Amino acid sequence: QVQLVESGGGLVQAGGSLRLSCAASGRTFSSYAMGWFRQAPGMEREFVGAISRTGGGKSYADSVKGRFTISRDNAKKTMVLQMNSLKSEDTAVYFCAAGQVDYAYLPDKYDYWGQGTQVTVSS
């Protein structure tokens, strides 16, 4: 089992950057594929990106490709989402998730979720 806690959200102007972190507890972080999702008010949870267990493979939603970068440090049990060139449409609550399927883009493929962190981009 793993527990996840996101941090780093906040208010930023369009064009700015934010760095989200996901801290995991438990001894088996490296055995989990990890993902980032986001959910805007009234919308379904949306895939942002995913990273494989080793960190060697990554996938991104088309809407964030080239602007967002995912990384992980298995020794520190953390995952990071670096968000650059932010747009107003990136405003949402961002969640990190852990599961057993690499590069999964469907929320139901993930077993554990954090509580989310709010990102607000002002235009």
Side-chain angles (χ1 to χ4, degrees):
Q1 190 171 356
V2 63
Q3 293 182 328
L4 305 173
V5 178
E6 303 94 338
S7 62
L11 174 64
V12 64
Q13 288 189 333
S17 298
L18 276 177
R19 180 181 173 93
L20 304 185
S21 294
C22 175
S25 63
R27 295 180 293 177
T28 59
F29 177 71
S30 60
S31 69
Y32 289 98
M34 299 295 295
W36 284 100
F37 287 77
R38 65 188 182 186
Q39 189 166 19
M43 304 293 286
E44 293 188 353
R45 196 162 292 192
E46 174 189 27
F47 173 75
V48 173
I51 188 167
S52 65
R53 289 164 177 76
T54 65
K58 304 170 189 181
S59 66
Y60 298 94
D62 288 343
S63 58
V64 307
K65 201 171 293 182
R67 300 187 298 122
F68 291 11
T69 303
I70 297 174
S71 60
R72 68 186 293 168
D73 185 331
N74 285 341
K76 295 182 179 178
K77 300 179 185 178
T78 59
M79 177 177 64
V80 169
L81 179 66
Q82 178 66 44
M83 305 187 295
N84 299 327
S85 302
L86 282 161
K87 306 175 181 179
S88 57
E89 52 262 44
D90 294 318
T91 295
V93 177
Y94 282 71
F95 299 88
C96 65
Q100 297 298 325
V101 180
D102 282 329
Y103 317 120
Y105 60 90
L106 295 175
D108 63 4
K109 298 299 184 184
Y110 292 85
D111 303 309
Y112 303 100
W113 293 83
Q115 83 290 347
T117 185
Q118 176 70 48
V119 171
T120 303
V121 183
S122 63
S123 56

